[in-house]
């Protein structure tokens, strides 16, 4: 199911259509699903999601999927957040087409993994309380598109200087993480996103980049990644690079490349960390693993559904 969603073109799979498909699938499995429309997103003050959506003729959506069994083992929920950019042109910082924009229908692979995981654990009747969140939009250079030089007010109160509109995924995802931290107060907070090309440069398409401050949790995901087939490799989440987030006019910048550290996947993770609060947090950058260019093992060419097996196996282990 996740693979099919990733493979759908944006001419069909808009944010609204995606939300409807997720609602239908997860509701049929026994989950409670709430789709927030643009007016509700404005009330939530999700400035990142709204900024990225400005150039689009399609409205954004924010979908909450909840599986809450009567005898859940956990008092606080596990929250999974998936990046749901259904198509990414790069906005005004336009991507080149060959081997770049032409693959960007897959930029919602993290959201597909989160929704399909909720569907799976509901089917398995797992006795764990889990909530999935999907902030979703496309990123286009329309007439009112957000621009480099803009300052965005995020849900958690931080201001972000936009230096590149193609670093949009972290803005969308950050509002989802802030919502989880502030509204749901989870025990574990996990995000999955096709976030940076840097992750692919470092690890190729067989391993996802994993970031966490929690040694025990990271070790568990490494073990279960090898077991499930969704393999992950822990990358350094180090404060040495944190000044890459500095901005002269806002709290942080959205490219996180001040100082020219050339560690794009690391600094993107440091950006996201600003929105998770004091939670047990893991970030999976699946830019390389969310889509395969060739038939490779159990993965056919196209969307891989990466993350569904890993997250379902982890939740089941609890």
């Amino acid at each position: 199911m996740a693979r099919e969603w990733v493979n759908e073109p944006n001419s069909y799979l808009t944010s609204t259509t995606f939300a409807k498909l997720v609602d239908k699938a997860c509701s049929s499995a026994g989950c409670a699903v709430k789709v927030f429309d643009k007016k509700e997103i404005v009330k939530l003050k999700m400035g990142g999601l709204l900024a990225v959506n400005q150039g689009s003729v399609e409205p954004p959506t924010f979908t909450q999927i909840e599986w809450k069994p009567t005898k859940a083992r956990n008092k606080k929920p596990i929250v999974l957040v998936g990046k749901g950019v259904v198509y990414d042109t790069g906005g005004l910082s336009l991507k080149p087409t060959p081997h770049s924009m032409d693959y960007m229908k897959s930029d919602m692979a993290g959201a597909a993994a989160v929704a399909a995981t909720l569907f799976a654990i509901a089917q398995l009747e797992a006795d764990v309380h889990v909530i999935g969140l999907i902030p979703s939009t496309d990123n286009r250079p329309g007439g009112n598109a957000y621009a480099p030089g803009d300052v965005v007010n995020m849900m958690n109160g931080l201001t972000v200087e936009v230096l590149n509109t193609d670093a949009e995924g972290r803005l969308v995802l950050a509002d989802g993480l802030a919502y989880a931290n502030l509204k749901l107060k989870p025990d574990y907070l996990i995000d999955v996103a096709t976030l940076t090309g840097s992750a692919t440069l470092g690890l190729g398409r067989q391993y996802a980049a994993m970031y966490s401050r929690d040694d025990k949790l990271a070790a568990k995901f490494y073990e279960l990644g090898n077991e499930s087939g969704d393999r992950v490799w822990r990358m350094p989440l180090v404060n040495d690079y944190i000044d890459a987030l500095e901005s002269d006019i806002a709290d942080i910048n959205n490219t996180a490349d001040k100082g020219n550290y050339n560690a794009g996947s690391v600094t993107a993770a440091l950006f996201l960390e600003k929105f998770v609060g004091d939670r047990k947090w893991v970030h999976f950058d699946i830019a390389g693993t969310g889509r395969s260019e060739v038939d490779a093992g159990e993965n056919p060419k196209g969307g891989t559904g990466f993350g569904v097996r890993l997250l379902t196996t982890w939740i089941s282990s609890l």
Side-chain angles (χ1 to χ4, degrees):
M1 184 168 64
R3 288 169 172 172
E4 288 181 359
W5 285 337
V6 172
N7 289 335
E8 292 286 6
N10 182 233
S11 56
Y12 167 69
L13 197 76
T14 64
S15 296
T16 303
T17 302
F18 185 32
K20 288 178 180 178
L21 291 173
V22 168
D23 188 356
K24 182 179 179 180
C26 292
S27 294
S28 72
C31 295
V33 181
K34 163 69 175 173
V35 179
F36 297 81
D37 61 19
K38 186 174 181 178
K39 287 183 179 179
E40 292 168 304
I41 293 168
V42 170
K43 288 181 180 178
L44 289 169
K45 299 181 180 180
M46 290 185 167
L49 177 56
L50 291 167
V52 176
N53 180 253
Q54 282 178 197
S56 177
V57 296
E58 294 284 342
T61 58
F62 181 67
T63 304
Q64 178 171 314
I65 316 155
E66 184 169 22
W67 169 250
K68 190 175 183 180
T70 53
K71 295 183 179 179
R73 291 178 179 269
N74 50 330
K75 293 182 180 180
K76 294 182 179 181
I78 293 168
V79 178
L80 313 177
V81 186
K83 174 187 169 184
V85 176
V86 291
Y87 194 78
D88 180 21
T89 68
L92 291 178
S93 305
L94 199 66
K95 291 178 181 289
T97 297
H99 307 293
S100 181
M101 197 196 302
D102 49 347
Y103 296 147
M104 284 300 107
K105 67 181 183 181
S106 66
D107 211 18
M108 37 61 70
V114 165
T117 296
L118 265 294
F119 176 86
I121 64 168
Q123 292 279 356
L124 293 170
E125 298 184 349
D127 53 357
V128 185
H129 182 197
V130 185
I131 299 173
L133 301 175
I134 299 174
S136 183
T137 181
D138 54 350
N139 181 28
R140 291 181 182 266
N144 196 39
Y146 79 129
D150 284 354
V151 175
V152 177
N153 294 292
M154 305 296 289
M155 183 182 177
N156 71 343
L158 282 179
T159 56
V160 178
E161 179 188 7
V162 175
L163 297 178
N164 188 321
T165 63
D166 194 24
E168 89 298 332
R170 65 199 67 184
L171 295 174
V172 169
L173 197 59
D175 276 335
L177 291 169
Y179 178 91
N181 177 49
L182 298 172
K183 300 286 188 180
L184 304 177
K185 305 185 187 307
D187 190 4
Y188 295 99
L189 179 52
I190 314 296
D191 76 74
V192 190
T194 50
L195 205 64
T196 69
S198 298
T200 308
L201 289 173
L203 296 172
R205 298 195 175 275
Q206 299 302 318
Y207 283 83
M210 173 175 60
Y211 294 90
S212 181
R213 301 278 186 180
D214 190 313
D215 294 340
K216 184 178 180 180
L217 189 57
K220 186 66 174 177
F221 271 117
Y222 175 77
E223 173 192 335
L224 295 179
N226 290 332
E227 177 184 316
S228 68
D230 284 345
R231 294 179 293 178
V232 298
W233 192 264
R234 190 179 186 185
M235 300 288 278
L237 189 64
V238 289
N239 292 333
D240 304 58
Y241 297 161
I242 208 160
D243 56 350
L245 299 173
E246 290 179 355
S247 167
D248 293 333
I249 61 172
D251 293 316
I252 52 178
N253 75 78
N254 83 317
T255 59
D257 64 357
K258 290 290 181 73
N260 194 28
Y261 286 107
N262 296 319
S265 183
V266 182
T267 55
L270 288 168
F271 178 97
L272 294 178
E273 191 178 31
K274 296 286 187 181
F275 299 87
V276 302
D278 189 21
R279 308 294 172 190
K280 298 173 185 174
W281 170 64
V282 181
H283 161 56
F284 293 109
D285 190 336
I286 65 165
T289 56
R291 184 192 73 251
S292 179
E293 301 307 318
V294 295
D295 291 336
E298 74 277 21
N299 288 326
K301 184 176 181 179
T304 63
F306 187 96
V308 178
R309 296 177 299 181
L310 175 63
L311 293 171
T312 304
T313 302
W314 174 64
I315 291 167
S316 299
S317 77
L318 300 176

